[in-house]
Amino acid sequence: MAQGSQITLIQDGKVIDQFELQDTLSVGRNPMCDIHLPHRCISRKHCILEKVGEEVCLKKESEFGVVKVNGQDCVQKYLKVGDQVSISPYILQISPWVQKSVLGVEELKIKDQENAEEAEVHSLDHFFTASLEETEESSERAKLIMQSETGEKLEYEVQKNEFYIGRDLSCDLVLEDQRVSMKNTLLLKQGNQFIVKDLDSKNGTFVDGIQIIEKKLIQGSKIQIGNKEMIFSSETPQMLSHFSLEKEGKLQEEMTLNSISKFMLEGFYQFFYRNGNFFRFFKDFRHFLLSIF
């Protein structure tokens, strides 16, 4: 009967797993056992199921553990189809080996494992994507830094794709200067870049001392409109540093932690999410450590 014998593991009336008996199956609490039963009342090696000729022989290995066959205590017994081996709270049932059934169980286990891995990867992907989007939103902020007549530092956030500067009250940044036209200058956002355009103003727009019609802004660009001077500051991914305006009017370059964090986050995301083999190896290694400690 041993040829083609199947061992079905049952707990609380539910089938947990199925095993084919080819030679010997060890049963116990030790994770290295062929049939692992993680319960504190079960010995590390509780019993074995051994193929002897055409029969299945059950041998008790535990000194104090209990093994019952069809409700009767036993130490060693030859089993037949339909016999139930009770190792509380589990039951091992002997039946003929059905290849289709085992394949179904194996396919189900593989599918469950793949679904679990996909869920973990999706969760990881969601975490990194959400973090990157949050970082991206914060990194696209730009501002204009000015000094008041009293030397106070003033900051104006550029919150629109089209940011108008002029003397007109409808402008996003109103400059009270007679040399400034009603609508003098436009800051235009294009992707992660900012372009400054002069709107045919009377006295022009200057960037870093040069009169411009249209120019791409970079971190720390100095914009002059009429008698007003301002510093352009942005934390876009292309710019790894920003400039703060000191009381003396000098520029001091500082590294932007937000930008550096974004690049590190992108690196981890690409490595862990794209490299599925490493992710599975890490998870399997973690499970192995948990099983031996």
Side-chain angles (χ1 to χ4, degrees), residues 28-292:
R29 185 162 47 89
N30 192 323
M32 301 304 293
C33 287
D34 301 305
I35 302 179
H36 179 215
L37 305 180
H39 193 280
R40 59 187 180 85
C41 294
I42 297 174
S43 301
R44 293 185 63 82
K45 189 173 182 181
H46 205 88
C47 65
I48 62 171
L49 295 168
E50 186 177 9
K51 176 182 176 182
V52 181
E54 296 299 319
E55 295 183 294
V56 175
C57 181
L58 168 68
K59 294 181 181 180
K60 178 182 171 183
E61 296 286 314
S62 173
E63 181 179 358
F64 302 104
V66 177
V67 178
K68 294 184 178 182
V69 177
N70 301 327
Q72 301 294 322
D73 291 342
C74 78
V75 176
Q76 180 171 329
K77 184 177 179 64
Y78 284 92
L79 304 174
K80 60 182 183 297
V81 173
D83 283 346
Q84 290 190 345
V85 179
S86 177
I87 306 175
S88 183
Y90 302 95
I91 293 177
L92 300 176
Q93 183 170 302
I94 312 301
S95 60
W97 176 255
V98 181
Q99 187 70 17
K100 180 179 179 181
S101 174
V102 173
L103 285 175
V105 171
E106 291 301 321
E107 289 172 356
L108 182 60
K109 289 170 63 179
I110 293 173
K111 184 176 180 180
D112 289 342
Q113 181 179 358
E114 291 177 347
N115 289 339
E117 290 177 353
E118 183 179 353
E120 290 187 57
V121 173
H122 177 72
S123 177
L124 184 66
D125 179 39
H126 176 74
F127 166 75
F128 279 112
T129 302
S131 300
L132 289 175
E133 288 176 353
E134 181 180 354
T135 307
E136 187 70 22
E137 289 178 1
S138 63
S139 67
E140 291 178 355
R141 295 176 183 174
K143 58 186 175 182
L144 297 173
I145 306 174
M146 301 174 57
Q147 278 185 326
S148 67
E149 294 180 358
T150 59
E152 182 183 0
K153 178 181 176 181
L154 303 175
E155 294 185 0
Y156 301 91
E157 286 193 10
V158 182
Q159 299 178 339
K160 298 180 179 180
N161 291 336
E162 294 183 354
F163 188 88
Y164 287 90
I165 304 174
R167 195 156 42 89
D168 193 279
L169 295 179
S170 64
C171 290
D172 300 292
L173 175 55
V174 180
L175 301 179
E176 297 180 358
D177 185 342
Q178 292 300 319
R179 297 190 59 190
V180 177
S181 299
M182 298 300 289
K183 285 194 174 182
N184 196 104
T185 307
L186 170 65
L187 264 63
L188 182 64
K189 180 181 177 182
Q190 296 180 347
N192 286 328
Q193 298 178 348
F194 286 86
I195 307 296
V196 59
K197 292 184 178 182
D198 183 76
L199 301 178
D200 296 325
S201 64
K202 180 178 179 181
N203 294 307
T205 300
F206 294 80
V207 176
D208 296 327
I210 302 174
Q211 186 172 0
I212 58 93
I213 297 177
E214 179 177 325
K215 183 175 178 61
K216 174 184 174 182
L217 293 173
I218 61 174
Q219 187 68 287
S221 291
K222 184 178 180 181
I223 304 171
Q224 181 174 349
I225 302 173
N227 291 323
K228 304 294 183 179
E229 292 185 355
M230 59 197 75
I231 302 298
F232 174 78
S233 178
S234 176
E235 296 179 356
T236 54
Q238 290 83 0
M239 303 177 182
L240 290 178
S241 61
H242 74 277
F243 295 85
S244 60
L245 195 64
E246 297 182 327
K247 292 183 179 180
E248 296 80 8
K250 297 181 180 180
L251 295 176
Q252 179 181 9
E253 186 172 7
E254 302 172 351
M255 295 304 296
T256 303
L257 181 60
N258 186 38
S259 299
I260 297 174
S261 299
K262 178 180 185 299
F263 291 131
M264 291 178 63
L265 195 59
E266 286 179 325
F268 279 115
Y269 169 76
Q270 294 294 333
F271 184 78
F272 282 102
Y273 177 60
R274 300 302 179 189
N275 194 340
N277 291 332
F278 180 83
F279 180 79
R280 292 186 178 89
F281 165 78
F282 180 81
K283 191 185 74 170
D284 292 341
F285 183 69
R286 174 178 174 273
H287 288 170
F288 169 73
L289 290 178
L290 290 176
S291 69
I292 62 176

